[in-house]
Amino acid sequence: MTARHTSSTSTFDPSAEKLARVYAQAILEAADRKGCRDDVLDELHMLATEVLPQVPNAQRVFDSPRVPLEEKEALIDRITAGRMQPTTTHALRVLARHGRLGIVAEVADAARHLAFELAGRREAVLTTAVSLPEEQQRQFVADVERQLGVSLAATFAVDPTLIGGLVVRVGDTVYDQSIASCLASLGEKLNRRTINEIQHGRDRLTSA
């Protein structure tokens, strides 16, 4: 695999990210005491990616410092009652009381990242040209883990522009093993060979 480093172009607030990690650590510790870490992680992720986008004005209520705490807690109860772990509900109430409910998505992401770190796993995105069956996905992940010597929490993406092969992103490092990349590398080698042959021909003519 060929490795290259990339930097994200998305805008983020480092202070919010750091704060989110502090809350995330407290939430994981609370969840571990109750033995429900996986449930809480799943619920926070679902809340941030599925529930809030579908609940009218929910994100506005969470974000606004002008919305009374009682209204925010009432919305939390409507969203979580009978659907989520008490630990998840309590975490949201703590965020609300501290005026940090607006960064719940960042907290959910930070909690997931932290959980992977604690488990000794690294997040990875594996991109292929076509969608793969689950068995083949598992085989790809096992192969990549063996090559890199790390344990991965992997998700798959599809990029039809790839001729084939596999592109793996782990953090800011991209390991490119796509056919397109191989062809580009081959093209560079052919170009260098052509240049060398031309130079060799010139040298022969000069010496003659």
Side-chain angles (χ1 to χ4, degrees):
M1 284 188 176
T2 300
R4 63 181 186 271
H5 292 272
T6 63
S7 59
S8 174
T9 57
S10 59
T11 301
F12 70 97
D13 182 349
S15 61
E17 188 178 70
K18 183 177 181 179
L19 186 61
R21 188 175 175 87
V22 172
Y23 283 107
Q25 183 169 354
I27 291 170
L28 286 184
E29 291 173 356
D32 286 345
R33 288 195 295 271
K34 297 294 185 179
C36 58
R37 177 195 285 190
D38 290 344
D39 287 339
V40 171
L41 288 172
D42 289 343
E43 289 167 359
L44 287 174
H45 179 71
M46 181 180 65
L47 177 70
T49 61
E50 299 178 23
V51 176
L52 288 181
Q54 296 178 5
V55 178
N57 296 324
Q59 192 61 54
R60 179 189 62 79
V61 172
F62 278 13
D63 285 338
S64 177
R66 293 189 293 273
V67 175
L69 175 61
E70 293 76 12
E71 185 175 339
K72 292 183 178 182
E73 290 184 331
L75 179 58
I76 290 171
D77 290 341
R78 289 202 303 273
I79 292 174
T80 64
R83 303 180 186 89
M84 298 185 182
Q85 292 282 344
T87 301
T88 305
T89 302
H90 178 71
L92 295 175
R93 283 177 167 269
V94 170
L95 289 173
R97 288 198 297 271
H98 292 179
R100 302 297 182 181
L101 199 54
I103 64 168
V104 65
E106 288 84 352
V107 171
D109 281 343
R112 187 175 72 254
H113 297 324
L114 184 57
F116 289 147
E117 289 177 16
L118 292 173
R121 305 176 72 194
R122 300 189 63 186
E123 289 188 277
V125 178
L126 284 68
T127 304
T128 56
V130 296
S131 180
L132 301 178
E134 289 186 7
E135 180 59 34
Q136 197 168 0
Q137 288 184 2
R138 285 193 291 270
Q139 185 60 53
F140 266 118
V141 173
D143 289 343
V144 173
E145 287 180 331
R146 185 167 57 254
Q147 289 189 43
L148 299 183
V150 296
S151 178
L152 299 177
T155 57
F156 277 79
V158 174
D159 181 359
T161 64
L162 287 179
I163 298 176
L166 175 69
V167 175
V168 180
R169 180 174 185 137
V170 182
D172 291 332
T173 303
V174 175
Y175 300 89
D176 192 345
Q177 202 178 37
S178 68
I179 291 177
S181 176
C182 293
L183 289 177
S185 177
L186 177 60
E188 291 176 3
K189 291 179 181 178
L190 290 174
N191 287 336
R192 288 196 297 269
R193 179 179 176 182
T194 301
I195 292 172
N196 289 336
E197 288 177 350
I198 293 173
Q199 185 62 49
H200 180 65
R202 287 176 179 172
D203 292 342
R204 288 175 60 189
L205 288 172
T206 302
S207 62

